[in-house]
Amino acid sequence: MTLACVHVVGQAAVSFFQHDQLQRLIEEMVAYFQNLKPYEKEIYQRYIDDYCPFYAVSSIWNALAAFFVIIGALFTAQPFPMMAEYPFPVDYEPVKSVIYLQHSYVAVQCVSTLSSNMIAALLILFAAGRFEILMVDLRAAVTVDRLKSCMEQCQLARKYAEDVIEGVQYIAIITLIISSGNLVLSGLNVIGRQPIMVKIQSIFLAGSALIEVYMCAWPADALMEVSETAAESVYKASWYNQDLKVQKTVLLMLVPQKPIVISLRFVMVALSLNYYCSYVSNAFSLFTALRVVLDEEVHTVPSSTNTTCCIN
């Protein structure tokens, strides 16, 4: 819960310092949607169909995690949802109820950090959609003027995507760091000798940690892929049937593009699905090691020496 509270403060600080940039990006996204063409709407509708179910389930899962944390005190010896000590008596009404409600509010506040991840994912996916629209336009381009227009569109899409990464990368990095700690600590309770309610709480908290990282890794992976391969779509156009000037322009456009990624120097080269797989693999490896240590502690019996002397 300490890490969850730190997560709230960290996300609030990032949102405060990045407010102007995020607001500008959102306003630009809204303005862009007002002038969509039919085929562009189809692309974004496909994004909605593909990603919306996961984020809906993620919201429900995190709400359940908060719910089990709140009601957990009713089924354990712990009087409040969170372990806390007060320098005054708290075992009488209405003080006990007020403290219980305050703890419940903190649990709900910790779940609210999910909204920051959703905003980050929304902006990243919107930027990825612009590259997919560019890919469609490049396949249909048959003139030099049209190719130049597509290149201008590509530069605008890359600039917007870079601004998005600059605005949301700290949200993703904070989520990754805090979720790693939550995953390890929750895993200790899952594999340890704890009451069943504590295990249920820990399972939901560990699942929330995995989900929050995946909420950023999935769209970041999509953006990384389309930003690197978007310009190559021009090769799929019928450029070989056009005049020499068009063919030369196509060759100039086939310059390798640097992917746009969320990264953390010396820690994370790029936030992607491959990185997420290694993240989960390392977490389960750590759980396995901890389980072995706990099993050894359980089966270890301290030796004792019988110094009693019996005389007949």
Side-chain angles (χ1 to χ4, degrees), residues 24 33 54 57-58 105 112 133 153-154 163 174 181-182 185 207-208 219 224 226 234 263 289 291 294 299 301 309:
R24 177 181 61 81
F33 276 128
F54 167 73
V57 172
S58 300
Y105 173 77
S112 67
I133 292 172
Q153 182 181 343
C154 180
D163 290 343
I174 290 175
N182 285 334
L185 296 177
S208 297
M224 179 181 67
V226 295
V234 69
S263 61
R291 182 59 183 267
L294 290 176
H299 292 91
V301 179
C309 180

Side-chain angles (χ1 to χ4, degrees), residues 18-259:
Q18 297 287 346
H19 174 268
D20 293 341
Q21 183 170 359
L22 292 175
Q23 186 66 30
R24 177 181 61 81
L25 294 171
I26 293 173
E27 290 176 356
E28 185 175 342
M29 177 181 63
V30 173
Y32 187 89
F33 276 128
Q34 292 176 353
N35 300 307
L36 287 182
K37 299 176 182 178
Y39 75 95
E40 295 174 339
K41 291 181 180 180
E42 291 179 1
I43 291 175
Y44 280 113
Q45 185 60 50
R46 176 166 53 82
Y47 270 68
I48 294 172
D49 295 338
D50 291 343
Y51 290 90
C52 186
F54 167 73
Y55 288 97
V57 172
S58 300
S59 300
I60 295 173
W61 181 277
N62 280 268
L64 288 174
F67 173 76
F68 281 108
V69 168
I70 292 171
I71 69 168
L74 302 178
F75 301 94
T76 61
Q78 187 174 310
F80 303 115
M82 306 174 196
M83 295 185 64
E85 295 183 2
Y86 296 88
F88 51 83
V90 295
D91 56 348
Y92 64 94
E93 298 294 347
V95 175
K96 186 175 181 179
S97 296
V98 170
I99 294 176
Y100 198 100
L101 290 175
Q102 194 269 337
H103 284 203
S104 302
Y105 173 77
V106 172
V108 174
Q109 189 71 21
C110 292
V111 175
S112 67
T113 56
L114 193 70
S115 60
S116 297
N117 290 4
M118 285 190 171
I119 288 294
L122 175 64
L123 292 173
I124 293 173
L125 290 173
F126 169 70
R130 292 185 65 168
F131 281 104
E132 286 215 19
I133 292 172
L134 171 64
M135 294 167 70
V136 174
D137 293 339
L138 283 172
R139 296 190 191 103
V142 292
T143 64
V144 174
D145 292 338
R146 184 58 180 162
L147 289 174
K148 289 182 179 179
S149 176
C150 289
M151 288 307 300
E152 292 176 358
Q153 182 181 343
C154 180
Q155 295 300 321
L156 292 175
R158 290 190 67 87
K159 179 62 170 62
Y160 183 87
E162 291 170 354
D163 290 343
V164 167
I165 295 302
E166 182 181 352
V168 306
Q169 64 179 349
Y170 297 108
I171 294 176
I173 291 172
I174 290 175
T175 297
L176 178 65
I177 295 173
I178 298 298
S179 295
S180 299
N182 285 334
L183 187 59
V184 172
L185 296 177
S186 298
L188 286 174
N189 283 330
V190 172
I191 66 179
R193 304 173 66 180
Q194 297 289 348
I196 185 63
M197 178 53 68
V198 175
K199 287 182 178 292
I200 293 174
Q201 292 175 334
S202 300
I203 289 173
F204 273 92
L205 292 175
S208 297
L210 292 173
I211 286 173
E212 287 184 354
V213 177
Y214 192 79
M215 289 175 67
C216 297
W218 192 11
D221 185 84
L223 177 61
M224 179 181 67
E225 182 178 354
V226 295
S227 64
E228 184 178 16
T229 61
E232 297 176 3
S233 298
V234 69
Y235 193 75
K236 299 180 180 180
S238 57
W239 56 271
Y240 44 83
N241 293 327
Q242 309 303 321
D243 56 36
L244 184 60
K245 190 174 183 180
V246 172
Q247 295 179 15
K248 289 182 178 180
T249 305
V250 169
L251 291 176
L252 291 174
M253 294 176 63
L254 291 176
V255 177
Q257 298 290 325
K258 184 179 180 181

